[in-house]
Amino acid sequence: QVDRYLYHMRLSDDVLLDVMARFQAEMVKGLGRDTNPTATVKMLPSFVRSLPDGSEKGDFLAVDLGGSQFRAHQVKVFDDGKQSSQLESKFYPTPKDIIQGNGAELFDYVADCLLDFMETKNLKHKKLPLGFTFSFPCKQTKLDEGVLLAWTKHFKVRGVLDTDVVSSLRKALQKHKAKVDVLALVNDTVGTMMTCGYDDQRCEVGLIIGTGTNACYMEEMRHIDLVEGDEGRMCINTEWGAFGDDGALDDLRTEFDRELDLGSLNPGKQLFEKMISSLYLGELVRLILLKMTKEGLLFNGKVSTALLTKGKIEMKHVSAMEKYKEGLSNTKEILTELNLFPSEEDCIAVQHVCTIVSFRSANLCAAALAAILTRLRENKKLLRMRTTVGIDGGLYKTHPQYAKRLHKVVRRLVPNCDVRFLLSVSGSGKGAAMVTAVAYRLAAQRKQIDAALAPFLLSLETLREVKNKMRTELEYGLKRETQASATVKMLPTYVCGTPDGTEKGKFLALDLGGTNFRVLLVKIRSGRRRSVQMYNKIFAIPLEIMQGTGEELFDHIVQCIADFLEYMGIKGARLPLGFTFSFPCRQASIDKGTLVGWTKGFKATDCEGEDVVDMLREAIRRRNEFDLDIVAVVNDTVGTMMTCGYEDPNCEIGLIAGTGSNVCYMEDMKNIEIVEGNEGKMCINTEWGGFGDNGCIDNIRTKYDKEVDEGSLNPGKQRYEKMTSGMYLGEIVRQILIDLTKQGLLFRGQISESLRKRGIFETKFLSQIESDRLALLQVRRILQQLGLDSTCEDSIIVKEVCGTVSKRAAQLCGAGLAAIVEKKRENQGVEHLQITVGVDGTLYKLHPHFSRILRETVKELAPRCDVTFMLSEDGSGKGAALITAVAKRLHNVGQ
């Protein structure tokens, strides 16, 4: 009979999966900026961004307002490696006239109780941080600010709705002259998660099932539209008690649920809470028993006063009646006390009603919790997830069957989640202290991180200074008397023209500038259908050859050329050749280049001070298989400028921002004192990577730059390049990460073996980590590939470090470039200059922000120059061929 009567309260797994899907949809609605106003599940940001990591320490106070008693706590957190803490509490009643009085009285009462507690603990002389647990729905805009949205749990205090409860508490504390610093406002659910999170770092969900019910969990910031920023996570207080207030659960609500709601203090509100929390379950049982009695199904149809009295059956009665081990004795005793004089059948039926009502509560709670767990798993993109749910509340703790039922149903609904349920001991009080302790730790950490990164933040003033110093160094390099000692070498390239469109023919190009070497065949057509066709092959240069003898290096290069000529079937043809050699060379003519010094990890012996064209010719002679007409030796920067100049005649600057960093530009011959002649222009390869080798930018070099320089192949050389180029940025990041780890701010203070390895942190990782499309989960995966087991907070810090280092690189590069465009403007004697910069290099092309910051810096520092940036399509190969073609054309004109 009872089963038939309460058929609607029995929920199958299919129905629960449906409830789960409905709740998931509500969560999404609550997180969206546009949909939140109409969502019933408010998904309130708590501004708790981090779980305890075990390094918290100190003395904290907490006050806890939200139930039948008000509590004050002192929490000592010990940094003893054992993650231990000590809690001392005192309970104060919350009188009815206070919970239904006015706001000023309520907060005065809280301040009074806290002062009394501090007095008993002898804490009045100390200024301690305090966490305020306030277990009612609040809209927070900061961790220490919360506007009350609605009272629940029989509270009806006047004049508090829509006001900030923290400032009300602060006012009351000031009035009482209490030395307390209110740092955090915490919902009891969040407090529960934080308490359990201190004992189990997997805990990222908090659940309360007691007088009220609610859940919170750690959500990805990128999904929370209501808060600025998309880095990291934040705890969301779902306020799930209002689920169904829009009618979403009407098909599951019974006549008893409707009757209970109508008789409540807040009809039409908190409908989900009214189906599952202990505040209402006893009343629900009473309404069912009353109707069954009236219909003659119980107690011989005799309705006692107890059955007619609202609130007479409480949750404690329901729990006691479900103690099956004790048979029916509890049930009989309770019903007799209520003047119901039951038969054995009555006792069985009543026990059954209690079971169905509390089982439905556990089922509904499990469905909503399963929705949260599924969302967490999907956020992490895991097929299977291990997690912990921190849990508190009288219903869960004291009901004999509730916990077991809840666990069972959750595991059935989310079989791909391994869930541990951890009971919170004094969750809300200790939790508020833990939130405060974490906030305290984060503030201290923030200070240390800011201090480490401060030297990388360059003001506009500093960048102008860098621009002016670069300009001075450029002038030194051009002047005959200062050139020898100049750090920016300003090497003449003997490239005296840019393409004019009449170039044509077949050319070979070689490209040596990194760990790969390329040989290209380039066919250039002129006229209306002008085009450039290219065929190329890439060969690796092994480390032992990069760092062996010069003879071995050039023999290897000639071997690669032979393979390519064979592959293309052109071994007999004597073609003009352009040699892109991306290392500093001093040129005496276009086909003579003396190597000034190796960069980018090359160390081949007997090359510095030698003519690389002669070395190449010697190696071709040694092989004695083919002959080539070496017309030009070309720097990759010049090749980049020429390639873009073929498309845009306005292009007179070439920039490389990749493994290395360099610039070339067309300078007026009259300004180049080290070359004869005053007519026309010549391309100058600045070799600006050496800027600062004389100490002129030491004021902006950090301790990390110095460490990277000292550990490099060429200490004291190429200092500007070491602050701006891809080869070194990852290494700067690694040095900072080691320092932050030593300070205990990263990776739990553990320096992994991989982090100790020089060069492990490649610049491509910077580009990946800083990509806006990448969620922190992917950042964690990248760090895991490097053997770094990072938390979410670690990933945020690593991303910030990468961003700081690459931003400075782009700004410094922009400051140098601004010096050059300003010089071009003055050379031309114009008020406003329009110019194009041809650019190549992986840093510029692949890094998500480098190019934008570089462009913005140039615009800021050279406001009278309108600079267009043009990406070079294969400057070093196509450019070498074009320079060869232009050189041939100019040679023919000369003849």
Side-chain angles (χ1 to χ4, degrees):
Q1 275 182 321
V2 173
D3 269 356
R4 206 169 59 239
Y5 207 79
L6 296 180
Y7 174 73
H8 279 309
M9 285 196 165
R10 287 189 168 278
L11 306 175
S12 68
D13 277 4
D14 284 346
V15 170
L16 293 177
L17 287 167
D18 184 41
V19 171
M20 186 175 147
R22 293 183 212 183
F23 189 72
Q24 274 179 304
E26 274 302 310
M27 288 168 78
V28 172
K29 223 171 137 181
L31 288 170
R33 183 176 279 117
D34 300 333
T35 45
N36 175 275
T38 56
T40 54
V41 178
K42 281 299 174 202
M43 304 296 281
L44 303 171
S46 68
F47 292 83
V48 169
R49 294 169 187 266
S50 177
L51 293 162
D53 71 354
S55 66
E56 292 75 16
K57 59 177 184 287
D59 262 10
F60 302 93
L61 288 172
V63 291
D64 183 357
L65 179 71
S68 51
Q69 286 184 312
F70 169 74
R71 289 175 291 180
H73 313 269
Q74 179 191 9
V75 182
K76 286 179 191 286
V77 184
F78 302 104
D79 184 19
D80 55 4
K82 295 181 198 150
Q83 279 187 240
S84 52
S85 61
Q86 186 185 318
L87 174 77
E88 292 187 38
S89 310
K90 191 168 177 186
F91 291 74
Y92 298 87
T94 36
K96 194 165 181 189
D97 57 329
I98 291 285
I99 64 173
Q100 304 204 341
N102 69 48
E105 290 163 355
L106 172 71
F107 290 104
D108 274 345
Y109 181 73
V110 170
D112 271 337
C113 296
L114 179 63
L115 274 166
D116 174 74
F117 177 71
M118 289 171 77
E119 192 108 30
T120 56
K121 296 281 166 215
N122 196 21
L123 296 172
K124 277 190 107 172
H125 59 288
K126 283 187 178 179
K127 182 162 188 180
L128 291 178
L130 174 123
F132 179 23
T133 303
F134 187 75
S135 312
F136 304 95
C138 279
K139 183 182 177 183
Q140 286 188 251
T141 44
K142 293 203 285 243
L143 184 60
D144 61 348
E145 194 175 277
V147 171
L148 177 64
L149 297 177
W151 285 116
T152 54
K153 306 177 220 175
H154 297 326
F155 271 69
K156 276 277 186 193
V157 184
R158 298 183 301 281
V160 184
L161 274 180
D162 302 323
T163 66
D164 173 22
V165 295
V166 176
S167 64
S168 301
L169 177 60
R170 280 189 181 131
K171 269 182 207 147
L173 289 167
Q174 273 165 0
K175 197 164 105 186
H176 288 69
K177 296 192 168 51
K179 282 186 183 172
V180 177
D181 190 9
V182 187
L183 280 193
L185 176 71
V186 185
N187 179 285
D188 55 348
T189 326
V190 181
T192 296
M193 179 187 79
M194 292 299 268
T195 301
C196 296
Y198 186 66
D199 300 320
D200 177 347
Q201 293 196 339
R202 284 188 193 278
C203 180
E204 48 194 345
V205 181
L207 175 63
I208 301 272
I209 319 168
T211 322
T213 180
N214 193 11
C216 69
Y217 72 103
M218 295 300 286
E219 176 60 88
E220 302 283 322
M221 280 289 289
R222 67 182 191 277
H223 295 150
I224 310 171
D225 281 357
L226 307 169
V227 178
E228 286 303 308
D230 56 4
E231 295 300 331
R233 302 195 299 168
M234 183 182 282
C235 180
I236 288 290
N237 163 19
T238 65
E239 286 299 336
W240 76 8
F243 176 38
D245 286 7
D246 57 354
L249 296 176
D250 280 4
D251 55 330
L252 300 179
R253 289 173 71 227
T254 62
E255 58 179 302
F256 307 111
D257 294 308
R258 292 190 171 85
E259 194 177 338
L260 178 141
D261 176 43
L262 285 172
S264 69
L265 281 170
N266 52 354
K269 299 274 172 69
Q270 299 292 104
L271 297 182
F272 187 62
E273 182 165 85
K274 285 169 185 166
M275 294 165 88
I276 62 176
S277 84
S278 63
L279 190 62
Y280 300 100
L281 294 192
E283 183 60 9
L284 209 49
V285 167
R286 181 187 74 81
L287 291 171
I288 295 166
L289 298 185
L290 176 62
K291 183 164 183 190
M292 288 176 77
T293 308
K294 280 180 178 172
E295 292 185 10
L297 299 171
L298 284 174
F299 314 125
N300 293 325
K302 285 180 184 160
V303 177
S304 73
T305 319
L307 277 186
L308 291 168
T309 310
K310 188 174 161 188
K312 197 71 183 168
I313 297 180
E314 294 173 39
M315 192 62 222
K316 63 181 183 190
H317 299 134
V318 177
S319 294
M321 290 192 274
E322 282 193 74
K323 286 182 179 161
Y324 305 130
K325 283 182 186 152
E326 292 166 30
L328 296 173
S329 61
N330 276 340
T331 309
K332 193 174 175 88
E333 198 178 308
I334 289 162
L335 293 174
T336 307
E337 270 176 28
L338 295 169
N339 293 331
L340 288 166
F341 311 112
S343 64
E344 192 166 326
E345 284 75 22
D346 289 337
C347 290
I348 292 169
V350 170
Q351 200 176 58
H352 205 52
V353 168
C354 292
T355 301
I356 289 173
V357 167
S358 59
F359 213 126
R360 181 185 71 157
S361 163
N363 273 333
L364 288 171
C365 189
L369 180 58
I372 289 173
L373 294 169
T374 302
R375 184 168 176 91
L376 268 177
R377 187 181 59 77
E378 287 169 357
N379 279 350
K380 294 181 180 195
K381 297 185 170 54
L382 294 173
L383 291 172
R384 190 168 193 89
M385 175 179 79
R386 270 183 70 190
T387 193
T388 298
V389 174
I391 199 160
D392 201 354
L395 182 55
Y396 182 87
K397 285 177 177 173
T398 58
H399 188 286
Q401 317 294 329
Y402 201 95
K404 198 166 62 192
R405 289 172 187 163
L406 178 75
H407 300 176
K408 212 168 165 181
V409 182
V410 168
R411 291 189 175 118
R412 241 182 18 244
L413 295 177
V414 279
N416 45 10
C417 292
D418 301 318
V419 190
R420 176 186 181 211
F421 290 87
L422 182 59
L423 191 60
S424 158
V425 183
S426 67
S428 46
K430 184 176 166 186
M434 285 320 311
V435 172
T436 310
V438 169
Y440 216 61
R441 164 175 67 81
L442 292 179
Q445 283 180 350
R446 185 70 261 166
K447 259 192 186 147
Q448 287 172 276
I449 292 162
D450 287 347
L453 298 182
F456 288 88
L457 308 178
L458 304 179
S459 67
L460 204 52
E461 200 51 46
T462 305
L463 290 170
R464 278 202 189 96
E465 209 178 287
V466 173
K467 178 186 86 166
N468 296 336
K469 285 177 179 172
M470 176 67 87
R471 177 65 191 268
T472 305
E473 296 294 314
L474 298 175
E475 301 290 357
Y476 282 158
L478 288 172
K479 299 232 177 326
R480 188 176 280 112
E481 66 271 20
T482 48
Q483 206 277 337
S485 60
T487 54
V488 178
K489 286 293 173 203
M490 304 298 279
L491 304 171
T493 65
Y494 295 87
V495 170
C496 296
T498 48
D500 69 357
T502 63
E503 293 76 16
K504 60 179 187 289
K506 278 186 191 174
F507 303 88
L508 270 183
L510 308 181
D511 175 14
L512 177 69
T515 45
N516 288 332
F517 168 64
R518 281 192 315 158
V519 188
L520 305 96
L521 174 66
V522 183
K523 295 179 182 175
I524 303 173
R525 286 174 61 166
S526 62
R528 254 188 348 183
R529 293 173 60 201
R530 72 183 198 146
S531 66
V532 179
Q533 276 180 307
M534 293 193 293
Y535 309 90
N536 75 64
K537 207 164 181 196
I538 295 175
F539 302 90
I541 298 194
L543 188 67
E544 62 271 18
I545 285 184
M546 279 169 72
Q547 301 188 0
T549 68
E551 202 166 281
E552 286 168 337
L553 175 64
F554 281 92
D555 283 348
H556 179 75
I557 287 170
V558 172
Q559 170 71 56
C560 298
I561 298 170
D563 289 354
F564 179 75
L565 296 175
E566 185 102 36
Y567 170 72
M568 293 301 293
I570 50 169
K571 213 163 192 178
R574 191 171 190 270
L575 295 173
L577 177 141
F579 182 15
T580 299
F581 186 76
S582 310
F583 303 93
C585 280
R586 190 167 269 113
Q587 287 186 249
S589 66
I590 196 162
D591 64 347
K592 283 195 181 340
T594 304
L595 176 63
V596 175
W598 286 118
T599 54
K600 302 178 222 178
F602 274 73
K603 269 285 193 195
T605 56
D606 310 321
C607 296
E608 295 184 359
E610 298 295 325
D611 180 357
V612 293
V613 177
D614 281 349
M615 292 185 85
L616 181 60
R617 286 190 179 124
E618 282 298 318
I620 292 172
R621 263 200 291 278
R622 272 199 299 277
R623 195 173 176 92
N624 198 19
E625 263 184 46
F626 51 83
D627 198 14
L628 296 168
D629 174 18
I630 305 170
V631 174
V633 63
V634 182
N635 181 281
D636 55 348
T637 326
V638 185
T640 295
M641 180 187 80
M642 291 300 262
T643 305
C644 294
Y646 187 67
E647 307 292 334
D648 177 353
N650 221 7
C651 179
E652 292 204 336
I653 300 176
L655 166 68
I656 301 280
T659 315
S661 174
N662 195 11
V663 159
C664 71
Y665 71 103
M666 295 303 286
E667 177 59 271
D668 293 356
M669 282 291 286
K670 63 175 187 286
N671 295 332
I672 311 171
E673 291 185 6
I674 45 177
V675 177
E676 291 303 310
N678 282 333
E679 292 306 308
K681 294 178 180 180
M682 182 186 284
C683 181
I684 289 289
N685 163 19
T686 65
E687 286 300 335
W688 77 1
F691 174 47
D693 289 3
N694 58 1
C696 71
I697 54 171
D698 279 4
N699 61 317
I700 59 167
R701 287 175 76 227
T702 66
K703 63 176 181 178
Y704 309 110
D705 293 309
K706 288 169 188 156
E707 275 162 10
V708 169
D709 179 36
E710 281 157 21
S712 69
L713 286 169
N714 52 353
K717 301 271 174 67
Q718 300 294 100
R719 287 180 179 177
Y720 181 66
E721 181 167 77
K722 284 169 185 165
M723 296 163 86
T724 55
S725 79
M727 182 153 188
Y728 300 98
L729 298 189
E731 186 56 19
I732 297 173
V733 167
R734 187 182 76 89
Q735 293 291 351
I736 299 171
L737 298 186
I738 286 175
D739 189 26
L740 294 180
T741 309
K742 281 180 183 166
Q743 292 182 49
L745 303 170
L746 271 178
F747 313 129
R748 298 175 193 82
Q750 305 296 311
I751 298 178
S752 67
E753 273 315 301
S754 60
L755 195 55
R756 292 179 199 279
K757 286 184 197 147
R758 181 170 297 285
I760 183 87
F761 207 97
E762 295 170 45
T763 297
K764 70 173 182 192
F765 295 128
L766 263 80
S767 294
Q768 290 168 359
I769 286 169
E770 285 187 70
S771 166
D772 294 331
R773 294 190 315 278
L774 277 199
L776 284 173
L777 268 172
Q778 264 99 335
V779 175
R780 281 178 81 172
R781 286 207 184 111
I782 293 164
L783 293 172
Q784 268 159 358
Q785 287 167 21
L786 295 170
L788 301 167
D789 184 21
S790 69
T791 62
C792 182
E793 284 76 29
D794 290 339
S795 304
I796 295 174
I797 295 169
V798 171
K799 194 167 179 176
E800 186 183 349
V801 170
C802 291
T804 306
V805 170
S806 57
K807 181 180 180 179
R808 182 190 68 161
Q811 286 180 323
L812 286 175
C813 199
L817 193 56
I820 286 172
V821 294
E822 274 291 320
K823 184 170 193 339
K824 290 285 294 172
R825 187 182 66 76
E826 287 171 27
N827 282 356
Q828 290 185 26
V830 291
E831 194 54 40
H832 210 88
L833 175 74
Q834 278 213 322
I835 194 160
T836 299
V837 177
V839 199
D840 202 353
T842 45
L843 199 53
Y844 187 90
K845 284 180 175 173
L846 301 180
H847 190 282
H849 308 300
F850 188 93
S851 59
R852 173 183 55 77
I853 296 165
L854 169 71
R855 290 194 302 269
E856 286 168 359
T857 309
V858 173
K859 197 171 180 177
E860 184 78 55
L861 297 178
R864 290 194 281 174
C865 301
D866 188 1
V867 186
T868 304
F869 288 82
M870 182 177 187
L871 260 186
S872 153
E873 290 307 320
D874 191 32
S876 43
K878 186 172 162 183
L882 281 164
I883 289 169
T884 309
V886 170
K888 277 283 189 202
R889 168 170 67 77
L890 294 176
H891 179 69
N892 293 342
V893 168
Q895 281 192 328

PDB file of all heavy atoms in Angstrom, residues 58 387 493 724 753 772:
ATOM      1  N   GLY A  58      50.419  29.523  10.660  1.00  0.00           N
ATOM      2  CA  GLY A  58      50.041  30.721  11.404  1.00  0.00           C
ATOM      3  C   GLY A  58      48.820  30.514  12.278  1.00  0.00           C
ATOM      4  O   GLY A  58      48.237  29.428  12.341  1.00  0.00           O
ATOM      5  N   THR A 387      38.927  11.589  -7.514  1.00  0.00           N
ATOM      6  CA  THR A 387      38.711  12.859  -6.811  1.00  0.00           C
ATOM      7  C   THR A 387      38.136  12.591  -5.425  1.00  0.00           C
ATOM      8  O   THR A 387      37.730  11.470  -5.120  1.00  0.00           O
ATOM      9  CB  THR A 387      37.792  13.789  -7.633  1.00  0.00           C
ATOM     10  OG1 THR A 387      37.854  15.100  -7.076  1.00  0.00           O
ATOM     11  CG2 THR A 387      36.348  13.323  -7.628  1.00  0.00           C
ATOM     12  N   THR A 493      77.677  45.141 -46.489  1.00  0.00           N
ATOM     13  CA  THR A 493      77.393  43.854 -47.170  1.00  0.00           C
ATOM     14  C   THR A 493      77.727  43.903 -48.653  1.00  0.00           C
ATOM     15  O   THR A 493      77.681  42.872 -49.320  1.00  0.00           O
ATOM     16  CB  THR A 493      75.888  43.512 -47.053  1.00  0.00           C
ATOM     17  OG1 THR A 493      75.162  44.515 -47.779  1.00  0.00           O
ATOM     18  CG2 THR A 493      75.423  43.451 -45.622  1.00  0.00           C
ATOM     19  N   THR A 724      66.890  38.766 -26.220  1.00  0.00           N
ATOM     20  CA  THR A 724      65.803  38.960 -27.203  1.00  0.00           C
ATOM     21  C   THR A 724      65.573  37.774 -28.126  1.00  0.00           C
ATOM     22  O   THR A 724      64.579  37.759 -28.839  1.00  0.00           O
ATOM     23  CB  THR A 724      66.099  40.184 -28.102  1.00  0.00           C
ATOM     24  OG1 THR A 724      67.384  40.011 -28.712  1.00  0.00           O
ATOM     25  CG2 THR A 724      66.076  41.476 -27.333  1.00  0.00           C
ATOM     26  N   GLU A 753      64.912  16.677 -11.691  1.00  0.00           N
ATOM     27  CA  GLU A 753      66.163  16.446 -12.425  1.00  0.00           C
ATOM     28  C   GLU A 753      66.133  17.191 -13.759  1.00  0.00           C
ATOM     29  O   GLU A 753      67.110  17.793 -14.174  1.00  0.00           O
ATOM     30  CB  GLU A 753      66.357  14.936 -12.678  1.00  0.00           C
ATOM     31  CG  GLU A 753      67.057  14.221 -11.543  1.00  0.00           C
ATOM     32  CD  GLU A 753      68.283  14.969 -11.021  1.00  0.00           C
ATOM     33  OE1 GLU A 753      69.216  15.222 -11.813  1.00  0.00           O
ATOM     34  OE2 GLU A 753      68.298  15.344  -9.827  1.00  0.00           O
ATOM     35  N   ASP A 772      46.879  31.600 -26.177  1.00  0.00           N
ATOM     36  CA  ASP A 772      45.602  31.910 -25.515  1.00  0.00           C
ATOM     37  C   ASP A 772      44.613  30.761 -25.646  1.00  0.00           C
ATOM     38  O   ASP A 772      43.706  30.620 -24.843  1.00  0.00           O
ATOM     39  CB  ASP A 772      44.986  33.180 -26.122  1.00  0.00           C
ATOM     40  CG  ASP A 772      45.854  34.387 -25.818  1.00  0.00           C
ATOM     41  OD1 ASP A 772      46.528  34.361 -24.780  1.00  0.00           O
ATOM     42  OD2 ASP A 772      45.876  35.328 -26.621  1.00  0.00           O
TER      43      ASP A 772
END
